Amino acid sequence: MNLTTHEQDFYAWTQEQSQLLKTGQLHQIDWQNIAEEIEDMGRSEKRQLESRLELLIMHLLKWQFQPNLRSRSWQLTIKEQRLRLEKLLQKNPSLQPNLTEAIEDVYPLATLSAERETGLSLFPEICPYTLAEILSLEFLPE
């Protein structure tokens, strides 16, 4: 089986494709793989959104349900994830309409992570925080 440059050396393939585009050599472009890579880049941004939401919600749950163990580290993680989400959404405003669905999708994973870290199994089945609360730099659940 003949491997394409894309499969043999991804970095070299990206540089080659970029040069072909810049020089207008469109007949030599690997259009199929370029289209797939562009789709993957979009999915990567969405995965980053979901990953940050999951970590943020997990820490909000820990903050709420283990008040005696609250720490500066948890508070800083919450703040960091909110700032990173804000930056991600500023760079990718088309992800904004996906936020509610993303929260619903990641909430079971966030509770599982919180359960694993805390040993508690008392977390609500549905996310107890609104989108505005999750993204608010000031909100900490009590």
Side-chain angles (χ1 to χ4, degrees), residues 8-66:
Q8 292 174 341
D9 185 343
F10 181 73
Y11 177 76
W13 174 84
T14 63
Q15 299 309 295
E16 176 185 287
Q17 296 304 305
S18 174
Q19 191 61 34
L20 291 171
L21 284 167
K22 289 176 182 176
T23 59
Q25 299 176 58
L26 303 182
H27 62 285
Q28 294 182 27
I29 298 292
D30 183 357
W31 292 108
Q32 183 64 37
N33 282 318
I34 286 178
E36 289 175 13
E37 292 302 330
I38 290 171
E39 288 174 354
D40 283 347
M41 288 185 326
R43 282 191 293 270
S44 175
E45 294 299 304
K46 188 173 182 207
R47 280 190 301 272
Q48 184 180 163
L49 173 77
E50 292 170 346
S51 177
R52 296 202 179 285
L53 282 170
E54 179 184 340
L55 185 59
L56 173 54
I57 293 168
M58 177 193 67
H59 276 81
L60 290 172
L61 289 168
K62 287 170 41 176
W63 185 271
Q64 181 176 358
F65 290 94
Q66 283 194 312

Side-chain angles (χ1 to χ4, degrees), residues 57-75 78 110-124 128-129 140-142:
I57 293 168
M58 177 193 67
H59 276 81
L60 290 172
L61 289 168
K62 287 170 41 176
W63 185 271
Q64 181 176 358
F65 290 94
Q66 283 194 312
N68 56 328
L69 296 178
R70 290 176 182 167
S71 68
R72 178 97 171 116
S73 174
W74 289 0
Q75 191 173 21
I78 290 167
T111 59
L112 185 62
S113 295
E115 192 172 324
R116 182 177 49 248
E117 287 198 17
T118 65
L120 303 173
S121 58
L122 48 72
F123 303 109
Y129 317 118
L140 287 171
E142 293 303 322

Side-chain angles (χ1 to χ4, degrees), residues 44-56 75-93 95-96 99 134-137:
S44 175
E45 294 299 304
K46 188 173 182 207
R47 280 190 301 272
Q48 184 180 163
L49 173 77
E50 292 170 346
S51 177
R52 296 202 179 285
L53 282 170
E54 179 184 340
L55 185 59
L56 173 54
Q75 191 173 21
L76 290 174
T77 297
I78 290 167
K79 183 177 183 177
E80 176 187 359
Q81 293 311 308
R82 285 175 168 155
L83 292 172
R84 290 185 184 275
L85 277 165
E86 181 180 327
K87 186 175 180 179
L88 179 65
L89 291 168
Q90 286 173 351
K91 290 185 175 186
N92 300 281
L95 287 173
Q96 193 82 29
L99 282 169
I134 290 170
L135 298 179
S136 170
L137 290 176

